[in-house]
Amino acid sequence: MSSSSALFSPIRVGNMNLQHRIILAPLTRVRAHADHVPGPQIPVYYSQRGSTPGTLLVSEATFISQKAGGYDNVPGIYTDAQVEGWKKVTEAVHEKGSFIFLQLWALGRTADIAVLAKENNSPHVSASPILLPRKLAKENNSPHVSVSPILLPKKSGVPRALTTDEIKEYVAAYAAAATNAIRAGFDGVEIHGANGYLIDQFIQDVTNERTDEYGGSIENRARFALEITDAVVEAVGAERTGFRISPWGVFNENSDFIRDIWQGVEGSTFISTNGHTRDSAIETVDKKGGLVGFGRSFISNPDLPFRLLKDIALERGDQATWYLPGNVLPTGYSDYAFAAENDQQQISKL
């Protein structure tokens, strides 16, 4: 790439030599099969967005275990079939000369009660998709659990607080999922600690009323997140481990903001995902360094790094097709065209 902005310049992150600073941010798309195996269009989708060599992609949030789920048609990384499904994705991305991390996800109180009930009657947090929590009991009567018994608005049923033994099981599940991700060919993992999901429920004081070593002080509320991070690092290495936070997020009703989490720690790289435009991304990287994540813009612009480099107008896309649970067709997913100026535009027709 060539441009006067650092946005389009190479950077080494962990074991990866990226050719620019534009990252695909994780986007839930609910295109997996009912057993949480990635659907047939998922390899095409990610290979398109990795078509500019040296691009880093962060996958959609992926369940670390059946117990950690609670939405339909969200992929998992806890069975051999799921690992094999993800191998097709990582191979497709690597063929383009790009890189991909898997985002690790556990829902906690945001899980759909109907989905939990239908998946295996598990004694912990549960399994499946994203149409917003209104159901929690459809996947085999798994119990609705969280850090503390606090009701999520518009949800039926108060979640049960996790026991300390269950917490340890979750820590182990994150490590196992990270190991499976590397087995599936991912270049690393990102721990989803944001947006009101299970890890964030421990961190935020509005969702954590515990009186044990996981509640009360900031240090205690951060303990679950730190134990998970330590376990994942031990399993796959620090250079393959990222962590997502949302200090100003209000999704799922949380309002306890996390400030000054990252302070330029040597060997780490900061990714800013604040609804950037081309101009704000250039300004951010040129003034502050690091990487910039794009989400919605990447949906309808599979060759986004190329378009931003050439300052080509972006396609708006169709928001009505963002979430089509279980749909295995290209519609609204892998059927967006590359820019006419892009020599790889035929890829979008695979």
Side-chain angles (χ1 to χ4, degrees):
M1 283 197 166
S2 62
S3 170
S4 59
S5 171
L7 181 67
F8 307 106
S9 67
I11 183 174
R12 185 165 178 82
V13 178
N15 296 325
M16 304 173 295
N17 290 315
L18 307 184
Q19 297 305 303
H20 57 86
R21 317 293 182 92
I22 301 159
I23 310 304
L24 170 65
L27 295 164
T28 295
R29 301 303 306 276
V30 288
R31 296 287 185 134
H33 294 298
D35 58 359
H36 309 293
V37 171
Q41 290 298 317
I42 293 181
V44 180
Y45 172 83
Y46 282 109
S47 68
Q48 290 170 349
R49 283 142 193 86
S51 61
T52 301
T55 299
L56 173 59
L57 314 176
V58 182
S59 82
E60 60 215 271
T62 299
F63 294 141
I64 61 168
S65 68
Q66 180 270 314
K67 298 169 182 178
Y71 296 159
D72 289 319
N73 303 109
V74 167
I77 191 67
Y78 52 90
T79 70
D80 288 340
Q82 292 162 2
V83 169
E84 291 302 312
W86 278 118
K87 282 182 180 179
K88 298 175 184 177
V89 177
T90 60
E91 289 168 359
V93 171
H94 291 153
E95 283 178 4
K96 303 301 180 186
S98 289
F99 307 93
I100 183 167
F101 270 43
L102 181 75
Q103 190 181 71
L104 304 178
W105 201 18
L107 295 180
R109 72 172 188 154
T110 66
D112 184 325
I113 298 172
V115 174
L116 289 182
K118 108 181 150 172
E119 291 210 356
N120 236 357
N121 211 9
S122 169
H124 305 304
V125 169
S126 293
S128 265
I130 190 75
L131 295 184
L132 264 178
R134 282 217 185 145
K135 314 169 198 166
L136 240 196
K138 159 185 157 185
E139 298 200 6
N140 258 339
N141 252 348
S142 296
H144 185 203
V145 301
S146 181
V147 52
S148 297
I150 301 173
L151 182 64
L152 184 67
K154 298 183 179 179
K155 292 196 61 72
S156 55
V158 176
R160 172 177 63 76
L162 288 167
T163 67
T164 54
D165 285 343
E166 289 172 330
I167 288 172
K168 302 304 181 187
E169 291 177 9
Y170 263 92
V171 172
Y174 272 96
T179 300
N180 280 342
I182 301 306
R183 185 159 66 95
F186 284 95
D187 299 288
V189 297
E190 178 183 87
I191 301 164
H192 193 342
N195 304 125
Y197 298 112
L198 184 60
I199 293 175
D200 203 26
Q201 290 161 29
F202 276 80
I203 293 171
Q204 306 286 353
D205 61 5
V206 296
T207 49
N208 186 340
E209 294 181 344
R210 302 179 73 96
T211 57
D212 61 7
E213 65 268 37
Y214 293 97
S217 68
I218 294 173
E219 291 80 5
N220 280 356
R221 286 186 279 123
R223 190 183 306 277
F224 184 49
L226 294 173
E227 288 181 350
I228 288 168
T229 303
D230 286 344
V232 170
V233 167
E234 183 176 354
V236 303
E239 72 282 0
R240 290 174 166 173
T241 303
F243 194 97
R244 181 181 179 88
I245 59 172
S246 56
W248 306 108
V250 294
F251 183 61
N252 284 327
E253 309 299 329
N254 282 346
S255 59
D256 182 26
F257 304 133
I258 307 169
R259 302 174 186 268
D260 302 322
I261 297 295
W262 184 78
Q263 298 179 357
V265 177
E266 184 177 356
S268 66
T269 306
F270 192 90
I271 304 175
S272 172
T273 54
N274 296 327
H276 285 287
T277 63
R278 181 180 191 272
D279 289 344
S280 69
I282 288 173
E283 180 179 3
T284 297
V285 172
D286 287 348
K287 290 184 177 180
K288 302 176 183 178
L291 310 174
V292 173
F294 285 83
R296 288 171 289 183
S297 297
F298 244 126
I299 292 177
S300 51
N301 299 277
D303 56 348
L304 182 65
F306 178 85
R307 288 177 181 260
L308 294 178
L309 174 66
K310 302 296 184 181
D311 200 12
I312 299 170
L314 303 184
E315 298 295 329
R316 292 177 61 89
D318 181 7
Q319 188 170 342
T321 64
W322 284 3
Y323 304 118
L324 298 176
N327 191 316
V328 296
L329 302 176
T331 308
Y333 188 62
S334 56
D335 60 349
Y336 285 107
F338 281 41
E341 298 88 338
N342 192 336
D343 292 338
Q344 299 189 75
Q345 58 180 300
Q346 72 278 3
I347 296 174
S348 65
K349 298 182 175 62
L350 288 177

